[in-house]
Amino acid sequence: MFKSKSGTDKEHQLKPSRRSMPCLAQSQTHPQHLNKQSTVLQQNKVQPQPDSEGSSAIDAEPQQDSTRDTYTDDSEHGTYDCRTDQSLLIQHKLNRQKQVSRKSQKCKEESMNREKQRSSARRNPSEMTSVISLGLYFKDGIKRIDYILVYKKSSPQIEKRNTFEKNLRAEGLMLERENSITNNDIMFVKVHCPWDTLCKYAERMNIRMPFRKKCYYTDWRSKTMGSLQRNMRQLKSWLPRNPMKLDKEALPDLEETDCYTAPFSRARMHHFTINNKDSFFSNSTRSRIVHHVLQRTKYEDGKSKMGINRLLGNGTYEAAFPPHEGSHKSRHPIKTHGAQNHRHLLYERWARWGMWYKYQPLDLIRRYFGEKIGLYFAWLGWYTGMLIPAALVGLFVFLYGLFTMDSSQVSIEICEANETIMCPMCEKNCTLQRLNESCIYAKVTHLFDNGGTVFFAIFMAIWATVFLEFWKRRRAVLTYDWDLIDWEDEEEELRPQFEAKYSKLERVNPITGKPEPFQPFSDKLSRLMVSVSGIFFMISLVLTAVFAVVVYRLVAMEQFASLDWHFIKKYWQFATSGTGVCINFMIIMSLNVVYEKVAYLLTNLEHPRTESEWENSFALKMFLFQFVNLNSSIFYIAFFLGRFAGRPGKYNRLFQRWRLEECHPSGCLIDLCLQMGVIMVLKQMWNNFMELGYPLLQNWWSRRKIKKGGQAVESKLTLPQWEKDWNLQPMNAHGLMEEYLEMVIQFGFTTIFVAAFPLAPLLALLNNIIEIRLDAYKFVTQWRRPMPARATDIGIWYGILEGIGVLAVITNAFVIAITSDYIPRFVYAFKYGPCQDEGYRHEKCLRGYVNSSLSIFDLSELGQGYIGYCRYRDYRAPPWSSNPYEFTLQFWHVLAARLAFIIVFEHLVFGIKSFIAYLIPDMPKDLCDRMRREKYLVQEMMYEAELEHLQRERKKNGKHYNHEWP
């Protein structure tokens, strides 16, 4: 709520920030109930007695045969003097004297604690090792570990590694080596970023930091609606609490405040709220700065010889990752003893299976893993929540078909057709069957093809639009709360690989005005053409695999029909479809391994300019490959199966050998449902296993090897944190691409063919409820901590989702018009049925529909010794007519109705989608007002902060000053 300027000086305390780093007098980086553990940790830290003024440095070039080689760089002091420059600390005007007195008292307490720690360390040196064993600090117990590098002593890349680490020290980083406890060949390099280096790169990277806690607002709604809001709060307090919300006591550091942020600048350091240098930059920000340095540090002479990624690729280093903040488990319950660290808090309040019904702590996720991963979980949670109404409507359509299955006129006629003989559906081994043998298929088809199908297809098209439009609003709120509004307008940095490739070609950047490498248009076009050719080649490979499955179905059709096993011989069509789906799924999963490597090579061949361009290009290729791979067989069944089979006596053949497959007498929709259900369920089960089960098995195997190796490790708790993280699995090489890809493919299954499978949203909802906890558990417990990255949206995936929404309208229109029997039933009821003059009112209007949809064929024309007539699905003239086996007038009526339905359905749904998108603004109006107000206030506060700083300097120097701008 906004406050007036006059009320600013009366405000004594601000709540902790959710939008930025906390801007209190004592900056909070842990929950309030972590203070006990942090106090104990601070007491256990040992401050080494320096030999001289300044920090001590144990330098040197690393020796290969040394067992414990430690080296640091000349850097900051081990501890910061509590008497920090007052020009760097922004304090409240009225409370300044109280805070100064508190600060002096705090300095005395800190100095006494240091003396106690030094004396206790002299008496008991084991306390230092207990602190170091936590794995969060250097050996001195003071310098925080911001990054971990891992290499093998047996690696031949010694010179590259030494040069790289020497250049890292030249950039201002401090390094310390530590031998592995479980593997003598592994060496850890701990990286610490001092204060000066943090400030330098924070300014270079335009990192936004807390900007002055003098916050004041004006909001007319706070005056006019104040009493109404109080009454509403009182009314809500009487209602039962929402069980899905997390308790504020569980996450006390996520309360809101209105502290502004601005790009960090050393020249204007007095503007920022720097109350504690150790906690001013959060752990994720420190790791991001170190990663930036690692990406741009050379290891050899030459412009292309730079970056930790290249060193990881050539085997110089085995891994590079930021450390976790500690263990995710505790011997003591969190309710009584509190959380040990943010990782423990995330596990207890988010990653446990018992929290499946709770809202996600997005702010804590963002603070620990970064904005990019936070946005992924925000989008996944939003998508899962929006699936609830879609799943309920789909379940209602399915239940409607279930309850009306036995009373359906079509099902009744098929089940009672004892005398109707169907024509054989294969060449030699198929026997004549009666129509009532398809009774079960007819009832199952009615579950998915009933009166609610069209309504559900329109609903899902509108649902997709509403989901995407409201996600825009949700994203806008998150980017504002997470202080990402201005970040998206900043110029993104170039990829090191791009800089190395085109370093000799430079041009002036029109935005920054500085020369930078650029890619010539001819080179870019040629590389793009090669990439596009590779994409089309892989898509053609997919289509070839689908064609192979089609050939299998044609061959297996005859074989299953000739088996002696009565069950398979009777249900040979079901056996053919089921085995075809399983074979297709195995081909899909096999090709996915090839697609990832091909997409990676093609993307690197293009040499994208920035990291986001690389990710977008790679994600687009992977989506195209997997979408075609998963949906090509579904498109074949939906729109091609049985459409070109011909008629009895004149069937079309593949390679003049195999007769094309026909639809079942009850229609092709049952095959489409089977294909979608099997692929969707099996793929989700496989993905869940690969996401959680595979890392669990790998981690278990690594722990087993440690125990089996006979290492001197009593238990896992004795390992330092960096070694525990090393034993975990690294995050996917392509970041969140696989996570997004899985959900986007699922979104396609949920919307594109939803008219044929209304249970798809329900299956997606159940899977996503599990998926959120699987991903949370995986990120918190099974993976090393990923590098915290920033992002303002979900990238190219939003455009892909919009494309899927458009494709869903078209495919559902064709599925209803072509694959289902909705249009033939509609035409019969209005034109040929008993209600042709009264309109379609009830199921009795479809009386006689099955007989009118079946044509007659003379069995004697087959030459197999049959006599009489048989029926088949089509609208053709009988053999005794003047034009035998020609299309009847009803066929053309049905075809015209199908085309008309497609046109009307698409235009209607697209019109509704566009109207809804127009009605829903991308950003809430109150958020726009808050953003404009904040931009004005930031400018005013910067002016006042600069004026206050100058006046303080004049007063300090004994010069005359006034309240006007000098």
Side-chain angles (χ1 to χ4, degrees):
M1 185 178 293
F2 296 121
K3 300 177 183 178
S4 61
K5 181 176 180 180
S6 61
T8 304
D9 296 334
K10 299 178 181 179
E11 184 175 353
H12 296 280
Q13 187 176 2
L14 291 176
K15 296 179 181 179
S17 175
R18 188 182 66 174
R19 297 191 48 241
S20 62
M21 300 301 159
C23 52
L24 299 178
Q26 177 64 36
S27 182
Q28 299 179 359
T29 58
H30 294 282
Q32 294 177 3
H33 53 267
L34 302 184
N35 290 340
K36 295 182 180 179
Q37 278 77 7
S38 62
T39 303
V40 174
L41 183 62
Q42 293 292 336
Q43 291 176 358
N44 288 334
K45 287 185 184 179
V46 178
Q47 309 283 347
Q49 187 73 24
D51 297 334
S52 59
E53 188 70 13
S55 59
S56 61
I58 308 172
D59 175 60
E61 292 296 321
Q63 302 295 328
Q64 184 67 18
D65 54 351
S66 62
T67 57
R68 297 185 65 85
D69 190 3
T70 304
Y71 57 95
T72 57
D73 191 23
D74 290 337
S75 177
E76 57 184 342
H77 294 278
T79 57
Y80 297 106
D81 192 349
C82 59
R83 294 169 294 179
T84 311
D85 185 5
Q86 295 299 321
S87 63
L88 302 181
L89 304 180
I90 299 176
Q91 303 182 9
H92 204 281
K93 294 180 180 179
L94 297 181
N95 296 335
R96 183 172 299 172
Q97 296 178 354
K98 296 181 180 179
Q99 291 182 359
V100 169
S101 62
R102 293 173 187 168
K103 191 171 185 65
S104 60
Q105 184 178 0
K106 183 179 178 181
C107 291
K108 294 179 181 179
E109 294 177 357
E110 290 180 355
S111 61
M112 294 176 63
N113 289 334
R114 290 197 199 99
E115 293 300 330
K116 291 180 180 179
Q117 292 166 6
R118 293 191 185 104
S119 61
S120 62
R122 297 188 192 101
R123 293 191 302 266
N124 188 9
S126 63
E127 290 188 5
M128 177 181 289
T129 59
S130 65
V131 174
I132 297 173
S133 65
L134 294 175
L136 302 177
Y137 296 90
F138 275 25
K139 292 179 180 179
D140 57 7
I142 301 171
K143 300 179 184 65
R144 180 185 302 172
I145 300 176
D146 299 318
Y147 226 86
I148 296 293
L149 304 178
V150 186
Y151 70 88
K152 289 184 178 180
K153 298 177 185 178
S154 58
S155 173
Q157 309 288 349
I158 302 175
E159 185 176 354
K160 294 180 180 179
R161 185 168 58 248
N162 292 343
T163 304
F164 181 71
E165 293 174 358
K166 182 179 179 181
N167 292 336
L168 288 179
R169 296 196 299 273
E171 290 291 336
L173 299 181
M174 302 179 67
L175 309 178
E176 183 180 74
R177 286 184 176 179
E178 188 79 23
N179 278 313
S180 173
I181 300 176
T182 60
N183 191 339
N184 295 328
D185 192 34
I186 295 297
M187 180 71 75
F188 297 98
V189 180
K190 297 174 282 187
V191 183
H192 169 73
C193 191
W195 170 257
D196 293 336
T197 307
L198 287 171
C199 294
K200 179 178 69 174
Y201 280 97
E203 181 179 11
R204 189 175 299 178
M205 297 170 63
N206 290 325
I207 295 178
R208 302 181 68 87
M209 300 304 296
F211 176 82
R212 191 153 182 143
K213 60 179 182 177
K214 181 180 179 181
C215 307
Y216 52 87
Y217 303 94
T218 56
D219 188 4
W220 60 271
R221 277 173 289 192
S222 63
K223 300 178 182 179
T224 58
M225 300 185 65
S227 59
L228 179 60
Q229 289 179 351
R230 287 194 296 270
N231 295 334
M232 290 297 296
R233 291 196 198 99
Q234 186 177 5
L235 179 62
K236 289 182 179 179
S237 64
W238 295 341
L239 298 176
R241 187 176 62 86
N242 187 355
M244 300 177 68
K245 289 185 178 180
L246 288 167
D247 298 333
K248 288 187 177 181
E249 294 78 9
L251 304 170
D253 61 333
L254 300 182
E255 298 176 2
E256 296 184 2
T257 189
D258 296 303
C259 181
Y260 295 135
T261 60
F264 186 79
S265 173
R266 288 178 291 177
R268 296 184 176 182
M269 195 176 293
H270 52 276
H271 289 179
F272 297 92
T273 310
I274 310 177
N275 298 293
N276 188 345
K277 290 183 178 180
D278 290 331
S279 59
F280 178 65
F281 294 102
S282 67
N283 292 342
S284 60
T285 304
R286 297 172 68 100
S287 300
R288 189 152 52 93
I289 291 175
V290 174
H291 181 78
H292 176 88
V293 179
L294 294 176
Q295 285 283 72
R296 284 156 178 80
T297 301
K298 292 185 178 181
Y299 58 88
E300 281 184 3
D301 293 335
K303 294 187 177 181
S304 61
K305 307 296 185 180
M306 63 186 300
I308 187 64
N309 290 342
R310 289 181 177 270
L311 292 176
L312 291 173
N314 59 27
T316 304
Y317 288 99
E318 297 296 318
F321 52 88
H324 279 293
E325 292 183 0
S327 176
H328 66 277
K329 289 186 178 181
S330 175
R331 297 179 179 178
H332 307 288
I334 189 174
K335 292 183 179 180
T336 58
H337 290 74
Q340 291 182 338
N341 49 67
H342 278 157
R343 188 188 183 195
H344 182 209
L345 187 61
L346 281 172
Y347 175 77
E348 292 290 338
R349 303 302 181 188
W350 179 47
R352 287 194 305 110
W353 292 105
M355 310 300 290
W356 66 270
Y357 62 95
K358 293 285 188 180
Y359 293 139
Q360 301 182 89
L362 295 177
D363 296 303
L364 185 59
I365 297 170
R366 167 248 179 176
R367 191 173 297 179
Y368 192 81
F369 292 109
E371 288 81 0
K372 193 171 186 178
I373 295 178
L375 274 175
Y376 163 72
F377 281 104
W379 176 82
L380 181 58
W382 184 259
Y383 171 47
T384 304
M386 289 293 293
L387 278 174
I388 295 177
L392 292 177
V393 176
L395 182 62
F396 172 78
V397 172
F398 179 80
L399 293 178
Y400 171 77
L402 181 64
F403 291 135
T404 60
M405 182 172 56
D406 295 329
S407 60
S408 172
Q409 185 65 31
V410 177
S411 300
I412 292 175
E413 291 186 4
I414 291 177
C415 294
E416 294 178 352
N418 299 326
E419 303 297 330
T420 304
I421 305 298
M422 301 301 295
C423 296
M425 300 186 67
C426 57
E427 286 293 320
K428 301 177 181 179
N429 302 315
C430 292
T431 59
L432 299 178
Q433 295 181 347
R434 300 183 185 275
L435 182 58
N436 64 342
E437 295 180 9
S438 302
C439 179
I440 298 178
Y441 288 97
K443 291 182 177 181
V444 174
T445 301
H446 184 76
L447 294 175
F448 307 101
D449 187 11
N450 51 65
T453 303
V454 177
F455 163 75
F456 188 55
I458 297 176
F459 172 81
M460 286 303 297
I462 298 173
W463 172 87
T465 303
V466 173
F467 160 65
L468 294 176
E469 292 299 323
F470 275 99
W471 165 247
K472 289 182 183 178
R473 296 167 62 88
R474 176 62 175 159
R475 171 207 163 256
V477 174
L478 286 175
T479 52
Y480 175 78
D481 289 341
W482 293 351
D483 204 28
L484 298 171
I485 296 295
D486 296 330
W487 185 82
E488 62 182 348
D489 297 331
E490 298 172 4
E491 184 71 11
E492 191 174 359
E493 297 175 354
L494 301 178
R495 295 180 70 235
Q497 294 83 352
F498 181 85
E499 292 179 330
K501 178 67 176 178
Y502 300 101
S503 58
K504 297 181 180 180
L505 301 175
E506 292 185 349
R507 70 174 180 182
V508 177
N509 190 310
I511 299 176
T512 62
K514 299 178 181 179
E516 68 175 17
F518 84 103
Q519 185 179 15
F521 177 76
S522 57
D523 182 75
K524 184 176 182 178
L525 182 62
S526 61
R527 292 178 180 275
L528 186 62
M529 293 299 296
V530 174
S531 179
V532 172
S533 302
I535 293 174
F536 278 106
F537 173 78
M538 295 305 298
I539 291 178
S540 63
L541 183 63
V542 175
L543 298 180
T544 303
V546 173
F547 181 77
V549 175
V550 171
V551 174
Y552 163 78
R553 291 169 66 103
L554 299 181
V555 175
M557 181 174 60
E558 294 284 347
Q559 299 299 324
F560 283 131
S562 60
L563 286 178
D564 294 334
W565 191 358
H566 176 72
F567 179 81
I568 298 296
K569 188 173 183 179
K570 182 177 180 180
Y571 300 102
W572 59 268
Q573 281 188 311
F574 181 80
T576 302
S577 300
T579 54
V581 170
C582 295
I583 293 175
N584 185 40
F585 179 76
M586 289 188 291
I587 294 176
I588 287 171
M589 302 310 297
S590 301
L591 290 177
N592 282 343
V593 179
V594 181
Y595 294 153
E596 184 175 351
K597 297 181 179 179
V598 173
Y600 186 79
L601 292 175
L602 293 178
T603 307
N604 286 334
L605 179 65
E606 295 176 6
H607 282 293
R609 180 174 175 271
T610 61
E611 198 66 33
S612 62
E613 290 181 5
W614 191 96
E615 292 179 0
N616 292 340
S617 178
F618 182 74
L620 181 60
K621 293 180 181 62
M622 286 298 297
F623 169 75
L624 289 176
F625 291 158
Q626 289 214 14
F627 181 81
V628 176
N629 193 17
L630 288 169
N631 291 279
S632 54
S633 59
I634 299 177
F635 272 91
Y636 163 75
I637 294 175
F639 305 126
F640 296 98
L641 179 62
R643 308 292 171 222
F644 309 100
R647 61 172 180 84
K650 194 179 180 181
Y651 285 111
N652 297 323
R653 298 177 181 274
L654 183 63
F655 301 134
Q656 302 297 323
R657 182 177 179 181
W658 295 298
R659 170 182 161 182
L660 295 182
E661 193 175 1
E662 289 186 80
C663 291
H664 196 269
S666 58
C668 293
L669 201 63
I670 187 64
D671 292 329
L672 182 60
C673 296
L674 179 64
Q675 184 84 6
M676 287 190 61
V678 170
I679 290 180
M680 189 172 183
V681 173
L682 289 181
K683 189 174 187 303
Q684 290 178 350
M685 292 175 60
W686 175 259
N687 288 335
N688 291 336
F689 169 76
M690 292 302 295
E691 286 183 4
L692 184 62
Y694 186 66
L696 280 173
L697 291 176
Q698 286 185 317
N699 293 333
W700 171 81
W701 183 253
S702 63
R703 292 193 299 268
R704 185 176 180 273
K705 287 196 300 183
I706 292 174
K707 295 179 180 179
K708 193 174 181 180
Q711 302 293 339
V713 181
E714 296 180 359
S715 65
K716 187 174 65 173
L717 296 177
T718 61
L719 295 177
Q721 188 59 47
W722 60 77
E723 190 137 3
K724 294 179 183 178
D725 293 346
W726 163 247
N727 292 326
L728 297 178
Q729 297 302 311
M731 186 179 177
N732 295 330
H734 310 304
L736 294 171
M737 190 278 303
E738 294 185 3
E739 317 295 331
Y740 276 116
L741 181 62
E742 178 186 354
M743 291 296 102
V744 170
I745 293 295
Q746 183 202 87
F747 181 80
F749 274 105
T750 306
T751 55
I752 293 179
F753 291 99
V754 74
F757 193 56
L759 290 180
L762 179 61
L763 293 179
L765 174 63
L766 298 177
N767 175 80
N768 287 6
I769 293 175
I770 301 174
E771 180 75 21
I772 291 176
R773 303 304 154 184
L774 278 178
D775 287 345
Y777 185 83
K778 176 178 59 180
F779 271 92
V780 174
T781 66
Q782 300 302 311
W783 277 2
R784 299 170 191 162
R785 187 177 184 180
M787 199 283 294
R790 306 200 85 189
T792 57
D793 52 22
I794 61 176
I796 198 174
W797 299 109
Y798 184 83
I800 294 176
L801 291 173
E802 284 188 326
I804 291 177
V806 174
L807 181 62
V809 177
I810 300 174
T811 53
N812 281 305
F814 276 88
V815 167
I816 296 173
I818 297 176
T819 310
S820 73
D821 286 342
Y822 178 80
I823 297 301
R825 293 197 301 264
F826 184 83
V827 172
Y828 176 82
F830 277 88
K831 184 67 178 177
Y832 298 96
C835 303
Q836 56 180 326
D837 298 328
E838 303 175 5
Y840 182 68
R841 296 182 180 178
H842 41 74
E843 284 288 334
K844 293 182 179 180
C845 296
L846 292 176
R847 187 175 301 167
Y849 164 73
V850 175
N851 184 61
S852 69
S853 64
L854 299 177
S855 300
I856 302 175
F857 178 73
D858 189 357
L859 285 172
S860 61
E861 297 182 16
L862 292 178
Q864 298 181 6
Y866 294 113
I867 299 175
Y869 297 100
C870 65
R871 310 295 296 271
Y872 62 97
R873 283 178 58 91
D874 211 340
Y875 296 99
R876 294 180 181 270
W880 54 81
S881 66
S882 57
N883 296 316
Y885 306 121
E886 293 292 331
F887 290 116
T888 61
L889 183 62
Q890 187 175 356
F891 169 82
W892 300 108
H893 285 165
V894 171
L895 180 61
R898 283 173 168 167
L899 296 177
F901 175 83
I902 292 173
I903 295 174
V904 173
F905 182 89
E906 289 182 355
H907 283 73
L908 175 64
V909 176
F910 278 132
I912 297 175
K913 284 169 64 71
S914 301
F915 181 68
I916 292 176
Y918 173 77
L919 289 180
I920 303 175
D922 295 345
M923 187 178 295
K925 186 178 183 305
D926 60 338
L927 181 59
C928 296
D929 296 339
R930 290 165 63 188
M931 290 171 54
R932 294 172 61 186
R933 178 65 178 168
E934 177 174 329
K935 187 173 292 186
Y936 166 76
L937 290 177
V938 167
Q939 295 176 355
E940 185 174 347
M941 286 189 294
M942 290 181 67
Y943 166 82
E944 292 183 357
E946 190 69 28
L947 177 61
E948 196 173 303
H949 174 67
L950 291 175
Q951 289 175 351
R952 190 184 302 113
E953 289 296 325
R954 287 189 173 185
K955 185 177 180 180
K956 183 178 180 181
N957 298 330
K959 296 182 180 180
H960 177 71
Y961 68 98
N962 50 43
H963 294 281
E964 297 179 358
W965 185 262

